[in-house]
Structure formats: structure tokens, C-alpha cells
Amino acid sequence: MTATTMGLMEPLTVGQVAETCGVTVRTLHHYDQIGLLRPSERSHAGYRLYTAADLERLQHVVVYRRLGFPLEEVAELLADVEARGSEAAAEHLRRQRAAVMTRLDEMRDLVRAIDNALERTMTKKPATTEDLKEIFGTAWDEHEGYQAEAEQRWGDTPQWRQGQERNASLTREDWARIKTDTDALERDLVAAVAAGEPADGDLAAELAERHRAGVEVHYDCPHAFQVRLAEMYLADPRFTQHYEDLHPGLAQWLHDAIVTNAARHDA
């Protein structure tokens, strides 16, 4: 409703104002009681009637309330308009517009933040088997073939249960990062063995801790349990062959590095 339209209309009852302006009758009665917006006229039957000037005042009240101003401050602002006339009214309208534009900018920022959060949430979907095969290639097929045997060996351990829970929630991006970290660790292990680094040295201890951190992505891995994994690297020909294919002697070196590092932590 424009100011021109309001200037031409007949006074409205409380119900008509509520329907026209989108405020409740209860709110209008409250504004009347506290003196914020009193209807200027009454009908012959004594009903409150709101004039065009009243509705213009209501317009200011509604805007300021939507902007979060308390009623006391709204009353002060409107009193200023009444005291200073059209100059103050224009000033307040400009202030309202600036406040609304600021709020719009905030809302746009909020929408962008929500969109970004939604995008992150949508990309947090657990990885599918197809995703894992694409990331790990034939190594994932070997892993799947080993699962039944691994469950039989480790199924009664807390680590197995943790692994099932954590792995089920890992996303494609998580698995890609795991693959990158694993490849980097194995390159550094190969470099250490090739350089003749001792399995009981500081670099070996650092690499053993990186190995343990990689395992703990899937389940808790105290040093004693990591030693059990290291023993398997020598006892199971499949694991031994994996590390020997990377560099001759690597399976034994990694085993010794893990065992020595665990002893350091137990001391």
C-alpha cells in the first residue's frame, strides 16, 4: 500500500488494518495501550478507526520492529519524526532503507554460508565400493578378499568393531587422503631403508609413529597392538611380499622399527 493510496482511503477498523497490514489485532491493541499507535478516529458506534496517517505510522513501526528495535526505541524515533516533520521522516526512511540493505547483505551472506554447509554435508556421503575400487585399484580387490579372514582373526577385538564403524562413515575424500598419506609413508620407508637408516634410530621411530597414526584413522592402535601388526607383516607372506616388493628388507625393517619404538614408549 503506497502513501498515495493511504491518503485516499477511508479510515479502517482494527480488523481491517490487521488484515491489510499483516499484523494481529492483539498487536494493534497492545500498541494502542502503550501509546505507540493510537487510532485517530472512532465510528459512531465507538469502534477505533485508523486513518492514513495512522497507517503511515504503523508502517514505520513494522519496519523498525522487523529490524529488531525495541518498542521504547521505536517510540522515540517516531516522536522525533513528529517533532521535526518531513525532514526527520525522510531521514528515518533513509535510515530504514540502509538498515534493510544491511540486513539483506547479512541474509545473502547467511544463504551463502548455508549453501556451503549444505554442499559440505552432501559431499560427506560415505564412499561406495566403486569409489574405493577407483581410488585403490586392484589393491582393493585384494583387500576385499582378505576381509573374511581378517574378521575371523580380529573379529572379537575392539579394533575390529571400531574399524567397521569408522570405515563405514569415511567419504570418498577421506579415502583419497588415506591413499595419499599411505603412499607418502611407504615412499619415506623405502627411502629410509635405501639410505641405510637404522631401525632403532630417531627417523625409524618417527616413521613408526606415522604408521600408527595411519592405522588409528580406522581404529585405536596402542603400541602393543601395533607390534602385533608388525609381527603379522613377517608371519603372513602376503604382507611380507607387499613390503618386499617396495624394497628388499623393508618388511623386517618396519617390523623392527615398530617393535623398537614401542619399547621406547613402554620404558
Side-chain angles (χ1 to χ4, degrees):
M1 181 179 297
T2 66
T4 300
T5 304
M6 288 192 295
L8 295 175
M9 72 180 193
E10 294 293 326
L12 302 180
T13 64
V14 174
Q16 290 172 326
V17 172
E19 183 179 354
T20 303
C21 300
V23 294
T24 66
V25 170
R26 182 177 180 181
T27 296
L28 291 171
H29 284 163
H30 180 60
Y31 290 168
D32 187 3
Q33 290 170 2
I34 64 175
L36 181 62
L37 177 65
R38 289 198 169 107
S40 300
E41 297 182 5
R42 286 187 177 270
S43 69
H44 295 297
Y47 294 112
R48 299 177 182 88
L49 295 177
Y50 290 81
T51 66
D54 295 333
L55 294 187
E56 187 172 351
R57 182 181 177 88
L58 176 60
Q59 175 181 294
H60 290 297
V61 172
V62 169
V63 171
Y64 280 127
R65 290 296 288 155
R66 287 181 178 175
L67 291 173
F69 286 84
L71 290 175
E72 295 80 3
E73 191 168 346
V74 173
E76 292 175 3
L77 291 169
L78 295 181
D80 184 45
V81 171
E82 291 175 354
R84 295 198 293 131
S86 60
E87 178 183 346
E91 179 182 319
H92 281 274
L93 286 170
R94 284 192 291 268
R95 184 184 302 166
Q96 288 175 355
R97 185 182 189 281
V100 170
M101 293 305 296
T102 298
R103 186 65 59 84
L104 284 174
D105 289 339
E106 292 173 354
M107 290 298 102
R108 291 190 190 99
D109 290 342
L110 179 59
V111 169
R112 281 194 292 270
I114 293 172
D115 286 344
N116 291 336
L118 179 61
E119 183 177 353
R120 288 194 299 272
T121 300
M122 294 300 291
T123 59
K124 287 290 183 182
K125 294 182 294 187
T128 64
T129 301
E130 290 71 22
D131 291 331
L132 297 173
K133 287 181 177 180
E134 183 179 343
I135 293 169
F136 292 96
T138 56
W140 187 256
D141 293 328
E142 297 174 4
H143 168 81
E144 286 190 312
Y146 180 66
Q147 278 295 93
E149 182 181 338
E151 183 174 7
Q152 184 176 2
R153 178 183 296 186
W154 307 103
D156 61 345
T157 65
Q159 285 79 6
W160 174 265
R161 291 189 292 273
Q162 283 182 336
Q164 295 301 298
E165 293 173 1
R166 293 184 188 177
N167 290 347
S169 65
L170 293 175
T171 66
R172 177 186 176 90
E173 290 72 22
D174 293 330
W175 283 108
R177 184 172 58 255
I178 290 168
K179 176 68 163 55
T180 299
D181 292 346
T182 301
D183 290 347
L185 173 62
E186 291 185 342
R187 285 195 300 270
D188 291 344
L189 288 169
V190 169
V193 175
E197 291 285 344
D200 59 354
D202 291 340
L203 178 59
E206 177 187 329
L207 292 171
E209 283 300 308
R210 283 176 57 189
H211 172 274
R212 193 168 70 88
V215 174
E216 288 206 314
V217 171
H218 307 286
Y219 51 79
D220 295 345
C221 185
H223 290 93
F225 193 85
Q226 188 187 19
V227 169
R228 293 177 63 184
L229 295 177
E231 292 170 349
M232 184 177 63
Y233 295 162
L234 296 181
D236 191 318
R238 292 166 297 185
F239 286 99
T240 305
Q241 189 62 52
H242 169 76
Y243 288 112
E244 291 302 299
D245 287 344
L246 293 174
H247 193 283
L250 178 55
Q252 184 68 57
W253 190 93
L254 177 58
H255 168 274
D256 295 347
I258 290 173
V259 172
T260 302
N261 180 61
R264 285 187 180 185
H265 288 270
D266 291 339

